[in-house]
Amino acid sequence: MFYYKALWDNNIILLRKKMQIIILDDAQQVAKNAAEWVAELINKKYNPVLGLATGNTPIRLYQQLVNKHQAGQLSFKNTTSFNLDEYLGIDVKNEQSYRYFMSENLFDHVDIDKSKTFLPTCNQGENPRVQGLAYEEKIKQAGGVDLQILGIGANGHIGFNEPTSSLASRTRIKTLSQQTLHDNSRLFKQDEFQPTLAMTMGIATILDARYVLLMATGKKKAQAVKAMITGPLSAMCPASSLQMHENTIVLLDKAAASKLDDQEYYQWAHDQNMMINQKFGLYRNY
Ligand code: PGA
């Protein structure tokens, strides 16, 4: 019996060594499903380490997490967090800073210890190379990221790893692409300064996470999603590097999935996974 169960556990591990594509009706379902993954980690592990993202896409997820916290279902007391990126030399009080974004959307509304929330900052006068290495070290000391939340840029970027980023990159300074600057310009007032440089976790840093949870919603992401999932593996689409990751979950709404050829297969594979999970319990190696 034990042997039989172990065999199944192995199968489950094998089944999970891949990119798992889950297509849901809309952005709200994506956020709800993502919140379940985060809640499971936090409730299961004593000292969870979350990788966090900014942007439009994760806002609904953070609302779900805040709701769960306020309903008494989720405590961030023992959680450590590492954000993907931050503008270079930006003041934390600046409303455009990602520290400000995180406080507004999550940190100020839950019981997380803010001294255990980290962003890859590089203030004026600091050396970006030293700061990048220090960030990598801090992640390592915390035990590594258990679950990394990701969005995807319309150009296939993850974090601020723009097309042509090295697949082996680590936390460093990066010049934002024209497309990213254009996509994000909606967030800046007409005469407001828009930073063009940022510190970002590298692609190799992201691939180190035990689990990656990437969310994409809306038609504008459909092309990047297709390139990420069906390849080729290329520095021109940094998200395609996730094909090399053993435990990536991709949560899509129908619009973001619309350019995928194999939508029915993904649905079928997801149903199979759910069936196995129901029968044998979840296997997650946090
Ligand atoms: P968005 O950004 O969620 O604002 O679309 C995603 C990203 O650039 O990673």
Side-chain angles (χ1 to χ4, degrees):
M1 181 63 197
F2 173 78
Y3 178 67
Y4 177 74
K5 172 91 171 59
L7 259 183
W8 265 103
D9 278 351
N10 275 337
N11 278 339
I12 292 166
I13 295 166
L14 284 177
L15 277 170
R16 293 212 163 275
K17 283 187 186 291
K18 62 178 184 184
M19 203 185 245
Q20 187 183 340
I21 318 296
I22 304 176
I23 303 170
L24 298 157
D25 283 343
D26 53 32
Q28 196 58 14
Q29 291 305 316
V30 167
K32 275 194 173 165
N33 196 304
E36 292 306 319
W37 284 87
V38 175
E40 194 208 321
L41 165 70
I42 292 179
N43 289 328
K44 189 168 169 184
K45 193 166 179 180
Y46 173 69
N47 53 354
V49 180
L50 265 184
L52 297 175
T54 51
N56 228 4
T57 315
I59 291 178
R60 286 173 199 262
L61 162 64
Y62 297 147
Q63 279 164 356
Q64 292 288 326
L65 295 177
V66 170
N67 291 346
K68 279 184 187 291
H69 172 70
Q70 285 170 352
Q73 296 163 0
L74 193 60
S75 168
F76 292 79
K77 217 166 45 199
N78 298 317
T79 300
T80 300
S81 73
F82 290 92
N83 264 77
L84 284 167
D85 40 24
E86 177 60 287
Y87 289 122
L88 193 81
I90 199 163
D91 193 286
V92 290
K93 293 201 190 82
N94 187 322
E95 292 184 18
Q96 296 290 357
S97 75
Y98 287 165
R99 165 63 73 183
Y100 190 93
F101 174 100
M102 290 311 304
S103 298
E104 284 281 294
N105 287 289
L106 184 66
F107 297 160
D108 283 351
H109 310 290
V110 296
D111 59 347
I112 199 163
D113 175 354
K114 281 206 186 170
S115 71
K116 292 199 295 187
T117 62
F118 301 101
L119 287 90
T121 54
C122 186
N123 298 317
Q124 269 189 1
E126 286 177 334
N127 180 333
R129 191 169 291 225
V130 172
Q131 291 300 108
L133 285 172
Y135 200 63
E136 293 282 331
E137 191 52 38
K138 219 177 278 175
I139 295 172
K140 216 187 273 173
Q141 278 170 9
V145 171
D146 290 306
L147 180 65
Q148 176 67 55
I149 308 296
L150 285 182
I152 181 171
N155 63 358
H157 76 197
I158 45 176
F160 273 138
N161 294 288
E162 301 287 26
T164 75
S165 288
S166 159
L167 301 184
S169 51
R170 293 271 162 196
T171 306
R172 70 209 182 292
I173 194 170
K174 200 67 197 157
T175 305
L176 307 192
S177 72
Q178 287 303 316
Q179 181 167 0
T180 296
L181 290 170
H182 174 262
D183 290 347
N184 288 354
S185 61
R186 70 184 193 281
L187 305 167
F188 292 81
K189 294 187 200 93
Q190 207 167 19
D191 50 1
E192 196 176 16
F193 171 68
Q194 184 179 1
T196 56
L197 295 171
M199 291 290 287
T200 180
M201 278 187 197
I203 294 176
T205 321
I206 292 169
L207 293 179
D208 277 348
R210 289 182 191 91
Y211 284 77
V212 171
L213 183 65
L214 185 143
M215 294 176 287
T217 58
K219 220 164 131 194
K220 270 195 198 150
K221 302 291 173 71
Q223 189 56 43
V225 164
K226 182 179 165 84
M228 162 177 73
I229 295 172
T230 59
L233 174 64
S234 162
M236 290 313 290
C237 177
S240 68
S241 62
L242 295 169
Q243 293 172 29
M244 304 291 290
H245 191 268
E246 291 184 343
N247 290 301
T248 288
I249 304 105
V250 179
L251 299 178
L252 305 172
D253 71 356
K254 287 192 166 143
S258 60
K259 294 211 162 139
L260 292 173
D261 295 325
D262 288 330
Q263 290 173 47
E264 278 171 26
Y265 169 75
Y266 297 129
Q267 188 57 51
W268 181 75
H270 178 55
D271 292 346
Q272 300 289 308
N273 272 332
M274 296 293 280
M275 217 172 66
I276 290 166
N277 289 343
Q278 257 176 15
K279 206 161 175 187
F280 296 100
L282 291 173
Y283 183 92
R284 301 237 168 94
N285 189 22
Y286 287 130

